[in-house]
Amino acid sequence: MENTMKNKALTLMLCGLMAASAVSCAGKGETSSATVETTAAATTAEAAAETETEPATEPTTKVTVEYYEGLICSDNMTEKEKERSSFREFTLLDPEKCFSLGKFGRNRYCLDPDELVSVRKIQDSFHELAIYDEQLDTPFLVHIITPPNYDENKEYPVFFITDEIYWMELIPIMWNMINEGEASPVIFVTHGYEYSIDGNANETRVDKFTLHQKEFLDFITDDLMKTISLNYKIDESRSVLFGHSSGGPFADYALCNSDKYEYQPFKNYIIGSPAFSDSYYDDNPYKGDIDLSIIKDPYAFQREFDYFDRNEAMDKNVFICAGGRENRSFEDCYGDNKNMTEEATALYERLISHGTDAELKIYEDCYHNNYVEDMLKDYLKQNFPPEDKTQN
């Protein structure tokens, strides 16, 4: 049982993004534009061995994916980025369309048949956004999931989730909590990579979350979230960013560098099981070909990236969490350095020493990822309590 948990946790540690599309990002509207045709490519034997979602045979006819006009892009985006960004039809439930857009298809998504059924039940709430970043030269895949009884004239907080390949299974669960009156409405935004990119690869995740934190935060803040705010009514004062494992250090980086941006898309941050050793422990056997020597200041996180040298106080809310038994899963990832539970505790202590509104919760009997579902459900209920419908 422990080995099974370890394997699953290690898989979670090696996560990632996605790849390309090409349609213009013009004026506002919801009219359908020209359909983009792509020929479904034969997938590799490796991808076929990992999942049964791959089409049984290569299609003999062209698979079409429909893109839509009307995306209002951030003024910070380049012309190339705008040209390669667009809303499109929801492809995740159609394996042939996924594979037509990239060789990995939906292989890297942790969705079993029952979870796919749950996604299908709320598929009308999914809006799929293909968005390209020139600075990172990466095509990303983003899903925007509107709440039950969505009102386009009403403002909603965003619940932003990195690593959608791992946490997509939780979206229907939290969506149904809202539908059943256990929490007030939010717009879920899940971030991933186009189907041509291996989102499970350590090189993919650590490249964006650690090696290119600044460029990735530029994209999230000035391109992606600004674009979402132009297409949906967003309440930034209640919005939250969640990052776990390798995404944990990125959520911390985003928090501690948020003061450098004019646009403030998030008031709240969830930092889960932060793998800070990604930036400095070169003997990590799972880092692949990543060269950590390019990181000029690998321990900057211990100074909160000098946030408190630039600011007297931090006007953000921070929830930090980890499993109490993380060290059993990842001893070889950090050597004699702090494990993720210890790093989470140290981060909390540093933040509260500066008067930051921070909370720490250690799930004592849990490993790296088996606490996340309960944590997110509790966070949703506590921070977005049900609306009082008796009030006008």
Side-chain angles (χ1 to χ4, degrees), residues 256 259-260 306-315 354:
C256 295
D259 62 309
K260 298 178 180 178
D306 301 320
Y307 181 94
F308 294 103
D309 289 343
R310 303 187 303 271
N311 304 275
E312 291 185 4
M314 178 179 282
D315 186 25
H354 292 282

Side-chain angles (χ1 to χ4, degrees), residues 208-322:
K208 303 302 183 293
F209 286 150
T210 302
L211 299 187
H212 296 97
Q213 289 176 322
K214 180 188 180 303
E215 294 83 356
F216 190 48
L217 184 57
D218 288 347
F219 164 71
I220 294 292
T221 304
D222 288 334
D223 294 358
L224 176 55
M225 283 303 299
K226 189 61 178 177
T227 293
I228 289 174
S229 75
L230 294 172
N231 292 271
Y232 301 85
K233 289 185 179 296
I234 300 302
D235 181 358
E236 291 91 347
S237 69
R238 299 171 61 214
S239 292
V240 56
L241 170 67
F242 165 57
H244 175 269
S245 192
S246 291
F250 174 72
D252 178 63
Y253 178 87
L255 167 71
C256 295
N257 288 273
S258 59
D259 62 309
K260 298 178 180 178
Y261 296 84
E262 180 180 357
Y263 181 54
Q264 295 288 305
F266 306 111
K267 175 70 172 179
N268 308 291
Y269 294 78
I270 305 174
I271 302 172
S273 302
F276 286 119
S277 59
D278 280 355
S279 67
Y280 64 80
Y281 188 58
D282 207 38
D283 291 331
N284 183 342
Y286 307 105
K287 73 180 183 63
D289 296 329
I290 293 171
D291 181 9
L292 298 183
S293 66
I294 70 173
I295 302 176
K296 296 180 180 179
D297 191 354
Y299 297 97
F301 69 91
Q302 295 179 346
R303 307 188 312 272
E304 278 57 68
F305 300 92
D306 301 320
Y307 181 94
F308 294 103
D309 289 343
R310 303 187 303 271
N311 304 275
E312 291 185 4
M314 178 179 282
D315 186 25
K316 303 290 184 181
N317 306 313
V318 189
F319 180 72
I320 305 164
C321 50

Side-chain angles (χ1 to χ4, degrees), residues 137-149:
D137 190 23
T138 302
F140 296 102
L141 179 60
V142 173
H143 288 101
I144 300 143
I145 304 96
T146 54
N149 304 310

Side-chain angles (χ1 to χ4, degrees), residues 26-42:
K28 189 167 184 177
E30 294 186 357
T31 54
S32 173
S33 73
T35 298
V36 176
E37 293 189 349
T38 54
T39 303

